[in-house]
Amino acid sequence: GALQECNANVFTAYNGEEALKVLEENSDIDIVLLDIMMPEMDGFEVCQILRERNKTKELLNFLLLNASIRFPL
Protein backbone atom coordinates (compact mmCIF):
# COMPACT_ATOMS: atom_id res chain seq x y z
CA GLY A 1 0.00 0.00 0.00
CA ALA A 2 0.85 3.67 -0.12
CA LEU A 3 2.18 3.79 3.44
CA GLN A 4 4.53 0.86 2.89
CA GLU A 5 5.90 2.62 -0.20
CA CYS A 6 6.92 5.47 2.13
CA ASN A 7 8.80 2.95 4.31
CA ALA A 8 6.20 3.16 7.07
CA ASN A 9 5.66 0.17 9.32
CA VAL A 10 1.99 -0.79 9.05
CA PHE A 11 0.16 -2.97 11.57
CA THR A 12 -3.28 -4.36 10.80
CA ALA A 13 -6.08 -5.24 13.20
CA TYR A 14 -9.47 -6.55 12.14
CA ASN A 15 -11.43 -5.41 15.20
CA GLY A 16 -11.09 -3.19 18.26
CA GLU A 17 -9.68 -5.91 20.52
CA GLU A 18 -6.91 -6.67 18.02
CA ALA A 19 -6.19 -2.95 17.66
CA LEU A 20 -5.69 -2.61 21.42
CA LYS A 21 -3.37 -5.63 21.42
CA VAL A 22 -1.28 -4.22 18.54
CA LEU A 23 -0.98 -0.90 20.33
CA GLU A 24 0.05 -2.56 23.60
CA GLU A 25 2.76 -4.58 21.82
CA ASN A 26 4.15 -1.66 19.79
CA SER A 27 4.94 1.47 21.77
CA ASP A 28 6.52 3.42 18.90
CA ILE A 29 3.36 3.98 16.83
CA ASP A 30 2.91 7.56 15.64
CA ILE A 31 -0.62 7.53 14.21
CA VAL A 32 -3.62 5.22 14.43
CA LEU A 33 -6.17 4.91 11.63
CA LEU A 34 -9.40 3.45 13.01
CA ASP A 35 -12.65 2.47 11.33
CA ILE A 36 -15.55 3.77 13.38
CA MET A 37 -17.55 0.71 12.27
CA MET A 38 -15.15 -2.07 13.35
CA PRO A 39 -16.78 -5.27 14.61
CA GLU A 40 -16.83 -6.13 18.34
CA MET A 41 -15.53 -2.71 19.43
CA ASP A 42 -15.77 0.39 17.26
CA GLY A 43 -13.08 3.03 16.74
CA PHE A 44 -14.67 5.42 19.24
CA GLU A 45 -14.50 2.78 21.97
CA VAL A 46 -10.86 2.03 21.15
CA CYS A 47 -10.01 5.75 21.43
CA GLN A 48 -11.81 6.03 24.76
CA ILE A 49 -10.01 3.00 26.23
CA LEU A 50 -6.61 4.23 25.03
CA ARG A 51 -7.17 7.70 26.46
CA GLU A 52 -8.14 6.18 29.83
CA ARG A 53 -5.09 3.88 29.86
CA ASN A 54 -2.67 6.65 28.85
CA LYS A 55 -3.84 9.61 30.94
CA THR A 56 -0.31 10.43 32.05
CA LYS A 57 1.38 9.69 28.72
CA GLU A 58 1.53 11.64 25.50
CA LEU A 59 -1.58 10.78 23.53
CA LEU A 60 -1.49 9.16 20.11
CA ASN A 61 -2.78 10.86 16.99
CA PHE A 62 -5.99 9.27 15.74
CA LEU A 63 -7.69 9.39 12.38
CA LEU A 64 -11.19 7.94 12.51
CA LEU A 65 -12.67 6.73 9.24
CA ASN A 66 -15.85 5.12 8.05
CA ALA A 67 -14.75 2.50 5.58
CA SER A 68 -18.20 1.26 4.59
CA ILE A 69 -19.19 2.35 1.13
CA ARG A 70 -22.70 1.91 -0.22
CA PHE A 71 -23.57 2.22 -3.85
CA PRO A 72 -27.12 2.68 -5.13
CA LEU A 73 -28.56 -0.37 -6.84
Side-chain angles (χ1 to χ4, degrees):
L3 293 173
Q4 289 97 338
E5 290 176 14
C6 296
N7 294 321
N9 293 323
V10 177
F11 301 94
T12 303
Y14 294 98
N15 60 52
E17 291 291 333
E18 286 183 22
L20 290 172
K21 185 175 180 180
V22 167
L23 290 163
E24 285 176 12
E25 294 173 352
N26 301 279
S27 62
D28 60 343
I29 292 177
D30 295 317
I31 189 166
V32 179
L33 306 177
L34 290 169
D35 184 350
I36 60 170
M37 304 291 285
M38 284 187 296
E40 297 178 30
M41 180 187 305
D42 66 37
F44 293 118
E45 291 174 285
V46 172
C47 284
Q48 183 177 12
I49 290 169
L50 289 171
R51 289 187 188 282
E52 287 296 317
R53 288 183 183 174
N54 298 310
K55 281 188 175 184
T56 60
K57 295 181 185 176
E58 185 176 324
L59 294 176
L60 289 168
N61 295 303
F62 293 98
L63 178 58
L64 296 166
L65 308 167
N66 182 346
S68 68
I69 299 173
R70 296 201 173 116
F71 296 98
L73 297 174

